[in-house]
Amino acid sequence: MREAGRIVARVHAAMREAVRPGVSTWELDQIALETLQKYGAISSFLGYNGFPAHICASINDELVHGIPSKDRVLADGDIISIDVGATYRGFIGDSAWTYAVGEISEEAARLMDVTEASLDEGIAQATSGHRVVDISRAVQRHVEENGFHVVRGYTGHGVGRQMHEAPQVLNYVAGDPDGNLILEPGLVIALEPMVQAGTWQTRVLRDDWTVVSKDKSLAAHFEHTIAITNNGPEILTLP
Ligand code: MG
Ligand code: MG
């Protein structure tokens, strides 16, 4: 899983290089494919429930599951959330990042900063002996203290040979049974705060994939694959 995670990080490094005004999300998808192939991995997303591309590319009010397209060309001031899943020797790494395209607004920059920091807050709680809900609480607190909204309909998850395994890792506190689960060394989870500027509510576009904020406000998404170890959380999707 470390190796799968490292490949995901390499794809993100390529995305960071490639994101700029004038680039289409289809081109980003092709760069991701080339990078996956270079390291002997395949996309965990292609064909997942019929998903038609190698990465998810979601622009501005799009939160997750955007489908790369030649018609979607990045413009100065956009933000784009890119989700990457790599399968390597049967194991999966999963990581998402929101990137700025050129010069972005102050609000967009703050949304990105708060969402990334909420991921860090969650990771800090991902230690042996804590419960899943400790992560959820830390993420929600940081986001809401900063005036933004945690999406309810999509969550983090266990990850391993399958992309989505138990437990479910909510980004907010609820009465879900998985919240009580005690984190133990060896468990690997994908933490992924999904945060919107104006509302926690979402809707799905007519392509049956793209999830957008209901009020068309900006959305951000940061995700790492984290191993619970005896020495604290280990982020597997870092370079
Ligand atoms: Mg992901
Ligand atoms: Mg995930």
Side-chain angles (χ1 to χ4, degrees), residues 45 83 94-95 192 223:
F45 300 167
D83 200 343
D94 186 10
S95 172
E192 49 180 315
E223 174 184 35

Side-chain angles (χ1 to χ4, degrees), residues 15-112:
M15 297 293 97
R16 189 178 294 278
E17 283 269 304
V19 165
R20 62 188 141 74
V23 167
S24 75
T25 53
W26 180 84
E27 289 172 272
L28 296 175
D29 192 73
Q30 290 301 300
I31 293 166
L33 170 61
E34 285 162 19
T35 311
L36 289 166
Q37 285 176 338
K38 185 172 165 189
Y39 295 106
I42 58 170
S43 166
S44 311
F45 300 167
L46 180 68
Y48 186 87
N49 292 333
F51 188 76
H54 302 92
I55 58 171
C56 300
S58 310
I59 302 172
N60 294 333
D61 64 318
E62 298 171 356
L63 174 73
V64 289
H65 305 165
I67 301 171
S69 159
K70 288 180 178 174
D71 299 333
R72 299 302 303 279
V73 177
L74 298 181
D76 191 46
D78 284 343
I79 59 173
I80 178 171
S81 299
I82 299 175
D83 200 343
V84 175
T87 305
Y88 181 72
R89 296 188 178 175
F91 288 97
I92 292 174
D94 186 10
S95 172
W97 213 256
T98 302
Y99 298 98
V101 184
E103 194 90 11
I104 61 170
S105 71
E106 221 168 277
E107 191 199 31
R110 205 171 72 78
L111 177 69
M112 286 172 56

Side-chain angles (χ1 to χ4, degrees), residues 45 83 94-95 155-157 159 163-164 190-192 221 223 225:
F45 300 167
D83 200 343
D94 186 10
S95 172
T155 73
H157 50 90
V159 55
M163 186 155 58
H164 296 126
L191 302 189
E192 49 180 315
H221 181 203
E223 174 184 35
T225 297

